[in-house]
């Protein structure tokens, strides 16, 4: 019985990145032997155990065989005769198929170290095409590692295109699509996730509402990048910069401009009313992927209200208060912060605008703060009751917002 550190822990150590998870593969053991040593079983589809002291995962070496479509279409085989090389052969990318023994020596049968040096995301074997989740994983790894110079190998991209062409991607279940998307939105360069999926032909299959944005023009005086798909990529990366690791903000950024794909061609490059037109495709996407309610709610607010945020310094005080009420900002201040991160990413996610100021955010936060200080107690003390209290509070909050200094527009 021997155990090896595998996967991301080895890869990230070689890249000089922080190692978060330590996963191990065990060769030459049975489930009974693992239990006898105090390991706790957690695996449902195949034998995975938690170390009795460290709590780290130890999986028995296994092979897999394709039995049907999709992520669940596999039969797994684990016994003491499965070798380390056989276990590594079933992994997705060469950079994830490196093992390290207890002495620190590396086992690298598929040249993952070479691909780390070459900055290549390359499949381990032709069996890559059997699991459609791998296509999403490659796109997610691109979102993580493209800032380090990584790119998908040509031969791997060819396999990914084949997976789309043969319909394997059609068997992806919504939960897995969302899980990988959510993780990609929390990476350093989520735009790479879209680019890789689009190059493989998978964006049109999995995210038709987003794919439809590419090639749609915008007014150059507001969007020097012109193309709406390019703008979306810039917004996603700016959102990752403003709110690192925050997939809630990332999803709002992803969906904020979906209505622009629906603009009639005779109106282009203008997009009047796109903020309202985008609500229906957003709801369709969120329903199809079973997106969490808070993500869907923030994305819809960002879609519908981002232009009001951009105009905040010109809005009347009563309109500012209505915007804050729509966002439920007085009761949920963190939602306002997430919303403003999306709006700022939209404003700065344009060619040449990455360092632009966005004073609207500070103004709306200040408006939230002064409005929130107005409570019901003062009006109860005056003897007001029922609707009169609400009306008085609204008037006082509007006056407080009106008294705020308004900075110059960014």
């Amino acid at each position: 019985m021997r155990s090896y550190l595998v996967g991301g822990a080895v890869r990230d150590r070689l890249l000089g990145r922080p190692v978060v998870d330590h996963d191990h593969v065990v060769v030459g053991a049975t489930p009974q032997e693992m239990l006898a040593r105090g390991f706790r079983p957690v695996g449902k589809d195949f034998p995975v155990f938690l170390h009795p002291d460290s709590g780290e995962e130890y999986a028995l070496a296994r092979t897999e065989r394709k039995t049907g479509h999709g992520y669940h279409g596999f039969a797994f085989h684990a016994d003491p005769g499965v070798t380390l090389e056989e276990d590594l052969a079933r992994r997705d990318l060469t950079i994830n198929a490196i093992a390290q023994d207890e002495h620190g020596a590396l086992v690298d049968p598929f040249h993952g170290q070479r691909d780390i040096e070459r900055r290549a995301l390359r499949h381990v074997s032709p069996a890559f095409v059997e699991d459609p989740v791998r296509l999403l994983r490659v796109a997610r790894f691109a979102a993580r590692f493209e800032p380090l110079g990584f790119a998908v190998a040509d031969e791997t991209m060819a396999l990914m295109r084949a997976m789309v062409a043969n319909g394997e991607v059609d068997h992806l279940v919504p939960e897995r699509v969302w899980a990988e998307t959510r993780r990609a939105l929390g990476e350093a360069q989520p735009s790479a996730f879209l680019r890789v999926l689009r190059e493989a032909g998978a964006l049109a299959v999995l995210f038709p509402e987003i794919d439809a944005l590419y090639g749609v023009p915008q007014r150059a005086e507001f969007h020097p990048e012109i193309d709406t798909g390019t703008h979306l990529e810039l917004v996603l990366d700016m959102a990752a910069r403003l709110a690192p690791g925050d997939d809630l903000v990332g999803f709002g950024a992803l969906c904020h401009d979906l209505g622009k794909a629906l603009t009639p061609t005779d109106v282009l490059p203008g997009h009047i009313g796109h903020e309202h037109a985008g609500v229906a495709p957003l709801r369709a996407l969120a329903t199809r992927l079973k997106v969490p309610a808070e993500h869907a709610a923030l994305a819809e607010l960002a879609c519908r209200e981002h232009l009001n945020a951009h105009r905040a310094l010109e809005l009347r005080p009563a309109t500012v208060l209505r915007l804050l009420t729509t966002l439920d900002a007085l009761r949920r201040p963190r939602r306002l912060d997430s919303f403003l991160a999306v709006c700022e990413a939209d404003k700065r996610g344009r060619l040449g605008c990455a360092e632009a100021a966005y004073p609207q955010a500070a103004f709306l936060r200040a408006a939230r703060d002064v409005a929130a200080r107005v409570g019901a107690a003062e009006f109860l003390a005056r003897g007001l009751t029922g609707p009169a209290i609400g009306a008085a509070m609204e008037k006082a909050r509007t006056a407080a917002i009106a008294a705020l200094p308004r900075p110059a527009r960014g």
Side-chain angles (χ1 to χ4, degrees):
M1 174 179 171
R2 294 190 66 182
S3 67
Y4 299 82
L5 189 65
V6 293
V10 181
R11 176 201 66 222
D12 289 344
R13 184 180 65 80
L14 292 172
L15 284 169
R17 291 168 56 91
V19 176
V20 178
D21 297 317
H22 292 78
D23 295 326
H24 306 258
V25 65
V26 180
V27 178
T30 65
Q32 292 72 27
E33 288 175 302
M34 299 294 286
L35 293 172
R37 292 171 181 255
F39 285 81
R40 303 190 305 277
V42 293
K44 294 181 180 179
D45 298 324
F46 38 79
V48 179
F49 301 84
L50 298 182
H51 191 281
D53 298 321
S54 69
E56 294 174 357
E57 284 195 1
Y58 284 70
L60 297 188
R62 63 186 186 271
T63 58
E64 58 188 35
R65 179 173 54 85
K66 184 74 170 173
T67 59
H69 291 293
Y71 174 69
H72 294 291
F74 291 90
F76 297 94
H77 173 67
D79 70 33
V82 176
T83 67
L84 175 63
E85 289 74 15
E86 288 174 326
D87 182 90
L88 294 175
R90 66 177 180 77
R91 297 174 186 268
D92 50 8
L93 298 174
T94 59
I95 64 171
N96 297 330
I98 310 170
Q100 177 182 307
D101 69 16
E102 66 270 25
H103 305 295
L106 298 179
V107 181
D108 184 16
F110 303 104
H111 309 294
Q113 295 175 87
R114 181 187 64 191
D115 283 338
I116 286 176
E117 293 171 1
R118 295 179 177 179
R119 296 303 198 246
L121 300 174
R122 191 188 318 276
H123 63 284
V124 170
S125 79
F128 178 92
V129 300
E130 296 177 350
D131 185 356
V133 174
R134 288 172 175 168
L135 188 148
L136 287 166
R137 280 173 56 83
V138 171
R140 173 167 62 81
F141 281 124
R144 181 182 302 177
F145 293 129
E146 190 173 280
L148 300 180
F150 277 82
V152 180
D154 290 343
E155 58 269 36
T156 302
M157 180 56 70
L159 287 185
M160 292 166 66
R161 292 194 186 103
M163 295 167 74
V164 176
N166 67 21
E168 186 66 32
V169 172
D170 299 337
H171 298 281
L172 280 166
V173 298
E175 291 83 358
R176 289 310 302 264
V177 176
W178 170 245
E180 294 297 330
T181 301
R182 184 174 192 170
R183 295 181 70 181
L185 291 172
E187 298 291 0
Q189 196 163 330
S191 63
F193 181 75
L194 298 188
R195 283 193 297 275
V196 169
L197 291 180
R198 187 163 180 255
E199 186 177 352
L203 193 65
V205 176
L206 301 174
F207 301 96
E209 301 88 351
I210 295 168
D211 186 71
L213 294 171
Y214 287 88
V216 176
Q218 303 165 108
R219 291 173 61 181
E221 64 267 38
F222 301 125
H223 289 278
E225 69 282 354
I226 306 294
D227 188 272
T228 306
T230 302
H231 168 58
L232 175 58
E233 292 182 4
L234 292 170
V235 173
L236 281 174
D237 291 346
M238 181 55 67
R241 173 179 162 185
L242 296 174
D246 192 332
D247 56 80
L248 178 64
V249 171
F251 186 68
L254 181 69
C255 300
H256 81 285
D257 262 353
L258 294 183
K260 289 182 176 179
L262 303 176
T263 301
T265 55
D266 61 333
V267 178
L268 295 173
H271 291 280
I272 296 173
H274 76 275
E275 67 275 24
H276 302 295
V279 172
L282 164 59
R283 289 177 177 173
L285 186 154
T287 300
R288 187 176 68 250
L289 297 187
K290 302 180 180 179
V291 171
E294 180 60 18
H295 286 67
L298 177 73
E300 184 166 330
L301 288 169
C303 178
R304 202 173 59 234
E305 304 292 345
H306 66 278
L307 294 187
N308 281 329
H310 297 338
R311 294 190 290 256
L313 302 180
E314 290 80 48
L315 296 178
R316 293 178 302 169
T319 308
V320 172
L321 180 59
R322 281 199 299 272
L323 174 60
L324 294 175
T325 302
T326 298
L327 297 169
D328 200 14
L330 275 60
R331 293 193 311 124
R332 304 177 67 176
R334 290 183 63 183
R335 174 181 275 187
L336 176 66
D337 292 336
S338 297
F339 169 79
L340 290 175
V342 175
C343 296
E344 183 171 353
D346 175 40
K347 202 66 174 179
R348 295 171 62 182
R350 309 175 191 212
L351 200 62
C353 299
E355 303 307 321
Y358 194 67
Q360 294 92 331
F363 172 72
L364 286 172
R365 289 192 183 95
R368 171 196 63 193
D369 292 344
V370 297
R373 293 190 194 110
V374 176
E378 171 187 352
F379 304 104
L380 285 168
R382 294 183 190 176
L384 297 181
T385 59
I389 295 176
M393 289 177 64
E394 182 175 344
K395 183 177 179 181
R397 285 170 171 171
T398 302
I401 293 171
L404 287 173
R406 299 216 179 190
R409 185 174 180 177

